[in-house]
Amino acid sequence: MSQASPASGDPLLHLRQSIATSSSPVLSTSSTTDYRTDDLALATHLIFESPALTPYLLSAPTRFISSDKPVDLRSIWFAWQHKDDLIAEYIASAQALNDALGSSEANAEARVQNLVFVERLDLITWLEGSSDDSEYIKPLEADSAAAAQAAAGATGIPGAAGTGAATVGGAGVRLARSRNPVLQAIYNNERRMGDRNTILRGIKPTDFSHVRKSAEIYLRAGKHGNKPGAANAATTANIGGAAMMPNAKPTKPGRRPDPIILLSPSASSTLRMSNIKSFLLDGTYIPPDSTSASASTSILHVSRMLPSIDSSRPLRFILVDSPDQFKPDYWSRVVAVFTTGQAWQFKSYKWQAPQDLFGHVLGIYVGWRGERVPESVKGWGRGVTSVAVEKWRGESVGRWRDREVVESLWSSIEDQMRKNGWGASGPTARG
């Protein structure tokens, strides 16, 4: 296979050659190597040092095409760096990087494109040199011209009818098959064959998150299998069962449905399933990945007295970070949504437009004291309450302001529930 030299200015081909020679490029915040960095969220250039110093903008489009659009060099480099990741790990890493890019001044508009499994496999195979062909990479202009010239000359070569296809160029361009009419008719009826990956996995990404949630039930049951009541614990852990939504069982007369609070599943959220309970109950903020935080779970319950709703007994709130297991009537019980300002969080919600969503439920944004509220949150209107907590300094001592923030949030939730018609017996129907 003939390859263009790096001087051709093609970042894909340059990257492939650097991998073959084990001369890895470096990330930089400028077009020189004086400002090297290991943080892809801060970098603006990918610089190749061999055979000559050649910088490329990470935002530059490449010849790799996904969804009829060229993929930028940042997404290509990210896919290569995470070539050994499982699908879930790759998606989570891409989301975390996009969150970091959003808060970066130099790359605030940049985003890493999440390649589907087949595209990522095809790209990695081509970069490693295991394959000379890629159906997602456009040919170089020089290769296209060579292919056309070779195809035109093939008709005048004796015996060319039986030579099959020829391959040239760094993008794996295939020349047209023989012009023999009989063979051409056969080739026209060829059926494209898939490999084991396309046959087993298909061409669309599949969300297996429900399998993970189901597996947690059995793993938890196995872990506590020798303890009394382990079977009951496993049963109540089922997010789709009665523990998730008490109304899934035949409702007892007079039993009040539990209100629901939705959290953001974003990895950049200050409050997640691991630290939300201690925050709302104890009035103290701890980082979600702290050793003091609880083990991550799919559902939590907290109880709180709201006198204007029911002065005789506390309300039990259900906390989840996904509405995947919701039935349509569950949305009437959602009273608050914690958000980081990222609209993708609402794609699976009943109300997908933020202004529409926060016209029905209370929005809550929790940021850091001293930092500005994102413009996206401000643009969603008065339906979103913004509060700030002190940044974590390594210990919970002296965090007395956290209690003030928590009390203000509960007050806002209570006011919103009262406006939406919540009473001692539950909510009134709303659209």
Side-chain angles (χ1 to χ4, degrees):
M1 168 182 146
S2 62
Q3 294 183 343
S5 66
S8 64
D10 179 61
L12 269 185
L13 191 56
H14 210 153
L15 177 58
R16 188 183 195 209
Q17 292 176 341
S18 71
I19 293 170
T21 57
S22 300
S23 55
S24 180
V26 296
L27 295 170
S28 176
T29 56
S30 72
S31 59
T32 68
T33 56
D34 296 336
Y35 301 94
R36 300 189 182 202
T37 179
D38 294 327
D39 192 345
L40 189 54
L42 300 177
T44 58
H45 289 75
L46 186 66
I47 302 178
F48 296 85
E49 299 179 285
S50 176
L53 193 68
T54 310
Y56 293 100
L57 279 170
L58 286 169
S59 59
T62 67
R63 293 183 292 118
F64 194 92
I65 306 300
S66 174
S67 302
D68 297 325
K69 295 180 180 179
V71 178
D72 63 357
L73 183 57
R74 187 187 308 274
S75 301
I76 296 294
W77 177 248
F78 176 81
W80 171 252
Q81 291 296 97
H82 294 266
K83 61 186 177 67
D84 297 323
D85 287 3
L86 299 176
I87 295 177
E89 295 173 347
Y90 170 72
I91 294 175
S93 299
Q95 181 57 55
L97 178 55
N98 282 333
D99 292 344
L101 286 169
S103 59
S104 170
E105 294 183 2
N107 302 310
E109 302 299 325
R111 289 295 180 271
V112 166
Q113 183 169 342
N114 185 3
L115 302 179
V116 299
F117 176 81
V118 177
E119 294 173 340
R120 189 160 63 107
L121 179 65
D122 186 278
L123 172 65
I124 292 170
T125 303
W126 186 84
L127 288 175
E128 289 177 334
S130 301
S131 172
D132 290 337
D133 300 328
S134 172
E135 61 180 296
Y136 298 100
I137 300 180
K138 289 176 59 178
L140 291 167
E141 292 183 3
D143 292 337
S144 298
Q149 182 179 1
T155 56
I157 301 175
T163 58
T167 304
V168 298
V173 181
R174 277 203 180 270
L175 303 184
R177 292 187 183 272
S178 170
R179 299 298 181 178
N180 183 290
V182 177
L183 289 178
Q184 189 63 51
I186 296 174
Y187 294 144
N188 290 340
N189 292 321
E190 280 187 340
R191 184 176 64 179
R192 183 180 179 85
M193 301 297 291
D195 58 18
R196 63 184 181 88
N197 293 304
T198 56
I199 291 173
L200 293 176
R201 298 180 179 272
I203 60 174
K204 296 182 179 179
T206 304
D207 182 9
F208 289 103
S209 59
H210 65 285
V211 178
R212 174 178 57 81
K213 292 177 180 178
S214 299
E216 288 178 354
I217 302 170
Y218 298 99
L219 291 174
R220 193 175 294 113
K223 183 177 180 181
H224 303 289
N226 296 327
K227 297 182 178 180
N232 291 335
T235 302
T236 56
N238 190 339
I239 193 171
M244 169 63 186
M245 303 298 167
N247 283 357
K249 287 185 176 181
T251 306
K252 296 180 181 179
R255 182 168 184 175
R256 176 178 59 199
D258 295 334
I260 302 170
I261 296 177
L262 276 166
L263 303 184
S264 170
S266 174
S268 63
S269 178
T270 54
L271 292 171
R272 301 208 293 269
M273 294 297 287
S274 58
N275 66 340
I276 184 66
K277 191 169 184 177
S278 62
F279 184 70
L280 293 180
L281 288 183
D282 304 331
T284 302
Y285 176 82
I286 57 174
D289 53 356
S290 168
T291 55
S292 303
S294 305
S296 182
T297 182
S298 57
I299 179 172
L300 293 170
H301 299 90
V302 297
S303 295
R304 172 81 179 190
M305 284 293 298
L306 301 181
S308 66
I309 306 297
D310 189 344
S311 58
S312 61
R313 53 179 176 159
L315 283 86
R316 189 178 80 152
F317 289 81
I318 294 173
L319 280 65
V320 292
D321 62 1
S322 170
D324 290 347
Q325 301 297 329
F326 275 25
K327 292 181 179 179
D329 60 301
Y330 293 166
W331 285 103
S332 65
R333 295 158 54 186
V334 176
V335 297
V337 173
F338 282 80
T339 180
T340 59
Q342 298 164 309
W344 60 260
Q345 175 185 346
F346 317 129
K347 287 185 178 179
S348 58
Y349 285 20
K350 176 182 178 180
W351 306 285
Q352 297 182 1
Q355 292 80 359
D356 192 17
L357 170 66
F358 299 124
H360 291 83
V361 303
L362 174 68
I364 299 175
Y365 172 79
V366 180
W368 300 117
R369 190 178 299 276
E371 294 187 0
R372 297 180 60 184
V373 176
E375 293 298 325
S376 59
V377 175
K378 293 181 180 179
W380 291 343
R382 298 168 63 183
V384 183
T385 296
S386 298
V387 297
V389 295
E390 300 285 350
K391 287 189 176 181
W392 180 252
R393 307 297 182 186
E395 59 181 4
S396 57
V397 178
R399 298 190 63 88
W400 52 271
R401 286 194 178 96
D402 292 348
R403 171 60 68 179
E404 293 181 355
V405 173
V406 171
E407 292 301 321
S408 70
L409 288 182
W410 278 120
S411 178
S412 299
I413 292 173
E414 184 175 5
D415 291 343
Q416 183 71 23
M417 291 177 66
R418 190 171 57 252
K419 292 177 183 177
N420 287 343
W422 273 82
S425 59
T428 58
R430 71 177 192 266

